Amino acid sequence: MIASFKRCMDLVASTLALVLLSPLLILIALLIRLDSRGPVLFTQQRIGRDRKAFRIYKFRSMVDRDPDTIDQIAEGVIVTGRDPRVTRMGRFLRATSLDELPQLLNILKGDMSLVGPRPVLPEQMEVVPEAYRRRFDVRPGLTGLAQVRGRRTLGWIEQLQYDDEYAKRYGIFLDLWLILMTFYVVVGRKGIYGGAGKNWREYREELREKEAKKSS
């Protein structure tokens, strides 16, 4: 019952948002094209509910690269808006979270929800401990518990703990509260960038080192 109501809310909200925000979306698209070479949208494979893959949509905020050729394991963490990979327009989009707006299409399609755990990269699956895989029982979200409690400043395991908590507790009132809190976080520009030592790649290396010590 809750899941059905949540899906109805997603459909109505994403449709209204796409209609009302269409002038803004068109303006952003034009500014991206004027600012740098490459497509307006960045698409990338992510893992969602029931561990199924889908293509996520974002406004491109970085220099144009084929997303399927990016080595996610070796890719450095973006810890500042001055990173050379981020375009001038991209700095603004990331600071305001406007780069995420095309995910309204993912919500409309049913890949995502307004609220839920953020979808993970395929490469991140190996560092999601079994204890936290409940997060894949619900649709990934545009925003979620981890996003209002620290965003990118959180460590990888902290993010997963909040994702797990949401999957256990999710409901309409929690979703409404998280949507309201998201506006507060976005307006305050909180947690846009995180530290390089708190990411999933660092956690992956720790696991590999532990395995190497065990086998030696």
Side-chain angles (χ1 to χ4, degrees):
M1 184 67 150
I2 293 176
S4 297
F5 188 82
K6 182 176 166 71
R7 179 60 188 147
C8 287
M9 187 171 73
D10 285 339
L11 283 169
V12 172
S14 59
T15 300
L16 284 175
L18 284 168
V19 172
L20 294 175
L21 296 175
S22 56
L24 175 61
L25 298 174
I26 293 169
L27 176 61
I28 292 172
L30 288 173
L31 291 174
I32 291 171
R33 290 302 299 269
L34 290 171
D35 181 57
S36 60
R37 290 184 179 181
V40 167
L41 292 180
F42 174 81
T43 68
Q44 189 179 53
Q45 190 176 72
R46 297 291 176 93
I47 306 299
R49 189 175 67 168
D50 298 327
R51 310 183 195 186
K52 292 180 180 177
F54 70 97
R55 303 294 294 189
I56 196 172
Y57 305 122
K58 301 179 76 171
F59 278 126
R60 182 175 58 81
S61 62
M62 300 173 69
V63 294
D64 184 31
R65 294 186 295 171
D66 181 350
D68 294 325
T69 64
I70 298 173
D71 184 348
Q72 293 295 342
I73 303 298
E75 187 77 358
V77 178
I78 296 177
V79 296
T80 172
R82 295 296 173 183
D83 190 295
R85 291 169 293 178
V86 181
T87 64
R88 288 175 300 174
M89 186 62 186
R91 287 196 291 271
F92 170 74
L93 292 175
R94 284 171 172 258
T96 56
S97 296
L98 291 174
D99 60 320
E100 309 286 359
L101 285 180
Q103 286 158 48
L104 291 167
L105 293 171
N106 287 118
I107 295 170
L108 194 62
K109 289 171 60 181
D111 298 325
M112 294 177 61
S113 176
L114 285 172
V115 183
R118 288 296 292 166
V120 300
L121 293 162
E123 292 86 352
Q124 291 174 317
M125 289 296 291
E126 68 170 296
V127 288
V128 180
E130 197 62 41
Y132 299 123
R133 297 214 166 191
R134 186 184 281 106
R135 72 187 309 289
F136 298 112
D137 292 343
V138 295
R139 283 188 178 91
L142 186 60
T143 187
L145 202 56
Q147 280 61 54
V148 303
R149 291 187 177 173
R151 297 174 80 182
R152 293 183 178 90
T153 64
L154 297 174
W156 174 244
I157 294 299
E158 288 178 294
Q159 293 177 44
L160 294 178
Q161 287 171 341
Y162 285 132
D163 292 345
D164 184 69
E165 182 182 343
Y166 176 80
K168 290 176 182 175
R169 295 176 49 202
Y170 88 95
I172 302 305
F173 291 110
L174 177 59
D175 280 12
L176 291 174
W177 179 77
L178 289 172
I179 290 169
L180 289 174
M181 287 300 297
T182 297
F183 285 107
Y184 169 74
V185 170
V186 170
V187 170
R189 300 191 177 186
K190 300 176 183 295
I192 299 169
Y193 299 103
K198 291 186 175 182
N199 61 84
W200 65 274
R201 297 175 184 88
E202 188 77 12
Y203 179 69
R204 178 179 179 272
E205 287 305 308
E206 289 179 9
L207 290 180
R208 298 250 165 160
E209 286 175 10
K210 288 178 182 178
E211 287 298 320
K213 287 179 181 178
K214 285 181 183 179
S215 59
S216 62

